[in-house]
Amino acid sequence: MLDNSSRTATRDPLTEMLRGLRLEGVDYARYRMAAPWCLLFPAQAAARFHFMAERGCWLRTPEGEWHRLEQGDAVLMPRGAEHALASEPSAQAKPLGRCAFEACCGEIADAHGGGDGEDVQFFSASLCFNVDAQHPLLRMMPELMWVHEMAVHEPAIPPLLSTMSCELALDRVGAGGILTRLADVVAAALIRSWVERGCGSPTGWVAAARDPDIGRVLAAIHLDPSGDWTVEALAGVMHASRSAFAERFAAIVGETPARYVAQVRMHQARQWLVRDRMKIAVVARRLGYDSEASFSRAFKRVIGAPPSRFRAGETLGPPLLSGPLPPSSAAPQDHGEP
């Protein structure tokens, strides 16, 4: 989940936690759409990122509300929730031709479609993080983050988005790689702004990560999920008594230390099984279990399925798209009615 190394938690646990969240796969598409048009982006395991390069459009949020996106706006759906983009909220009632895709800028797919009205250009990406959607950080995030609302507090974001717009317009060699890095930085800045500005409930992961004592404990757990994290050991990280630590941890995080450690360890185990193709017995030993059977029981309690199912080839989440894949998995389904 996060890097296993000999590093110890720093004085800034939030930095440690965000350092471990990295992009491991990105898939892009550039859209040139003419009104009227409406695109449905179905739910997927990867995050979704949109940047309005020229003009704006309308966004139907995961809650079903329509909001106007202006040129320069960017939105991030951390857990890939279903949403739609359209020239107008009423565009879903009009017929729409299927988007045509072709190669552009090497790694980017170029899409165009819609009618014969005003053109709009936007950039979309599917962002695969190195953790699954059940990681405490991703699980606590809202369905939608909007740069328009955060740019005032993040002065570095507007220049990054301007650079993205230039790369999209110039079609230069290597644009795909540059856009990859820019999107990575913008996504990280969005997440950092959300966490640092106190977005979220007064309990749970965000509150815990911002608490200097409990945050230090969380960073230690995520830095070494296979460690022997007894309540006594975790209390030692916080320099508190066992009872005082357990009570404070449960009050802030919302669950017991043992349950939280079990969740982190089993999600780490799931990645080892799927991403690294480790044998179940090897994973069990790495996590300190005496037998494969005891590990399998613990894994099923947390994940909801036995480890053998993931070792047999299941992915970390549902397919990126429901249906045949277009040339880029950053492409949505094309519908007349979202």
Side-chain angles (χ1 to χ4, degrees):
M1 184 172 292
L2 300 183
D3 292 338
N4 276 340
S5 70
S6 59
R7 291 183 292 119
T8 57
T10 69
R11 293 183 179 181
D12 180 6
L14 180 59
T15 296
E16 282 295 342
M17 302 296 279
L18 292 178
R19 181 184 297 170
L21 187 66
R22 302 182 306 276
L23 291 181
E24 291 191 333
V26 186
D27 202 356
Y28 299 105
R30 179 177 65 183
Y31 289 86
R32 302 174 189 269
M33 305 297 295
W37 60 273
C38 183
L39 297 173
L40 172 67
F41 290 81
Q44 63 177 34
R48 286 276 194 191
F49 175 79
H50 300 298
F51 166 58
M52 303 307 301
E54 292 181 7
R55 299 189 178 89
C57 72
W58 287 83
L59 164 73
R60 192 191 72 179
T61 69
E63 294 76 27
E65 300 176 350
W66 287 97
H67 294 281
R68 178 70 183 175
L69 298 180
E70 301 296 345
Q71 180 174 332
D73 284 0
V75 292
L76 173 69
M77 282 74 175
R79 294 186 298 278
E82 180 180 296
H83 59 285
L85 297 178
S87 55
E88 294 287 345
S90 60
Q92 69 266 27
K94 301 177 181 179
L96 182 67
R98 183 169 297 278
C99 287
F101 288 88
E102 58 188 32
C104 165
C105 304
E107 304 92 334
I108 305 173
D110 202 9
H112 53 87
D116 55 4
E118 183 179 64
D119 290 335
V120 63
Q121 180 181 177
F122 60 93
F123 166 83
S124 292
S126 288
L127 311 177
C128 296
F129 292 109
N130 62 320
V131 296
D132 62 48
Q134 294 306 307
H135 182 277
L137 176 55
L138 294 184
R139 197 173 64 219
M140 288 293 294
M141 288 181 187
E143 294 286 5
L144 170 68
M145 296 181 184
W146 192 351
V147 168
H148 180 75
E149 299 172 339
M150 296 183 181
V152 174
H153 308 294
E154 291 289 337
I157 289 182
L160 290 171
L161 296 179
S162 295
T163 304
M164 290 179 69
S165 183
C166 290
E167 288 296 325
L168 282 166
L170 295 176
D171 288 353
R172 297 179 63 184
V173 174
I178 292 175
L179 284 166
T180 297
R181 289 164 177 80
L182 290 171
D184 193 347
V185 174
V186 171
L190 273 169
I191 293 169
R192 180 182 64 183
S193 178
W194 175 74
V195 175
E196 287 183 340
R197 303 197 70 77
C199 300
S201 66
T203 60
W205 190 91
V206 174
R210 301 183 74 214
D211 181 284
D213 294 325
I214 297 299
R216 188 166 63 249
V217 172
L218 294 183
I221 295 171
H222 285 277
L223 283 168
D224 185 17
S226 58
D228 184 17
W229 293 121
T230 62
V231 174
E232 290 80 5
L234 294 173
V237 173
M238 200 179 89
H239 306 298
S241 68
R242 184 181 185 279
S243 59
F245 160 72
E247 182 178 354
R248 185 171 175 187
F249 188 97
I252 294 177
V253 179
E255 55 193 353
T256 66
R259 181 172 175 79
Y260 187 87
V261 169
Q263 291 177 356
V264 172
R265 296 175 83 190
M266 292 308 119
H267 285 293
Q268 175 67 78
R270 184 182 179 188
Q271 287 202 326
W272 282 338
L273 292 169
V274 176
R275 183 189 61 197
D276 301 329
R277 308 302 300 152
M278 286 187 186
K279 294 182 179 179
I280 296 174
V282 173
V283 174
R285 286 197 301 271
R286 287 190 67 171
L287 292 178
Y289 283 87
D290 296 329
S291 68
E292 186 176 322
S294 61
F295 161 72
S296 295
R297 288 193 295 270
F299 185 94
K300 187 174 182 180
R301 279 197 301 271
V302 174
I303 303 299
S308 56
R309 179 177 298 178
F310 298 92
R311 185 67 178 85
E314 281 202 3
T315 60
L316 287 174
L320 290 182
L321 294 173
S322 55
L325 286 175
S328 165
S329 63
Q333 291 180 353
D334 188 355
H335 292 269
E337 294 189 20

